[in-house]
Amino acid sequence: MTDCKTVVDPKLPDATVLYLPAGFAVPPAVQKLQQDCKVKVQNLPVAIHGPGEVDTNTFTPHGVLYLEHPYVVPGGRFNEMYGWDSYFIIRGLIRDGRVDLARGMVDNFFFEIEHYGTFLNANRTYYLTRSQPPFWTAMIMAVYDAEKAAGKTDQRLASQGVQPRQQRS
């Protein structure tokens, strides 16, 4: 979310609005987007704890919801991260050795849950009422297994006592 091409919304005639979680400080990279891309940045009006807590009809205009990490989109005119597509994208990224990018996408889903109340259909204001958690555990484990195979350990999981899966013979 640091490139004008990925944030400016070709589907909307108005200036693009990037929504941050309620009370979330504007990151330096987003401040640069405001200046370079003429993107409006607004905080959501309230903290969201679950789908449907916000009337999405009140957003004028609708916009993209901020995510912390880079992500891959389905292509074409899309500039949002879709849940269902992300499963297949993450599998491809791991196969291509782009584990860090896949990890960032998984971390974005944790961010969505923490700040938008659920694993969203996609990171847009009009999807704040819809959840789409396809194979989320499979995504997490695919990244974990790829990192483990590369000799990396996940310190967050290790500190919580989570042990690697045993290989079956």
Side-chain angles (χ1 to χ4, degrees), residues 82-136:
Y82 281 87
W84 190 237
D85 297 298
S86 293
Y87 169 71
F88 298 102
I89 290 167
I90 287 170
R91 290 183 56 98
L93 288 170
I94 289 170
R95 186 174 184 113
D96 197 40
R98 305 286 311 270
V99 178
D100 288 343
L101 184 52
R103 173 63 181 253
M105 290 178 67
V106 166
D107 286 343
N108 280 338
F109 290 123
F110 282 105
F111 186 87
E112 284 184 355
I113 291 168
E114 181 179 352
H115 296 285
Y116 306 125
T118 192
F119 183 123
L120 297 169
N121 185 66
N123 60 309
R124 289 206 164 270
T125 52
Y126 45 81
Y127 288 131
L128 284 167
T129 60
R130 295 191 227 168
S131 180
Q132 191 183 57
F135 304 121
W136 190 39

Side-chain angles (χ1 to χ4, degrees), residues 60-80:
T60 306
H62 281 287
V64 177
L65 296 168
Y66 173 76
L67 296 174
E68 290 185 306
H69 302 283
Y71 54 87
V72 177
V73 299
R77 65 187 192 105
F78 298 102
N79 62 350
E80 58 269 7

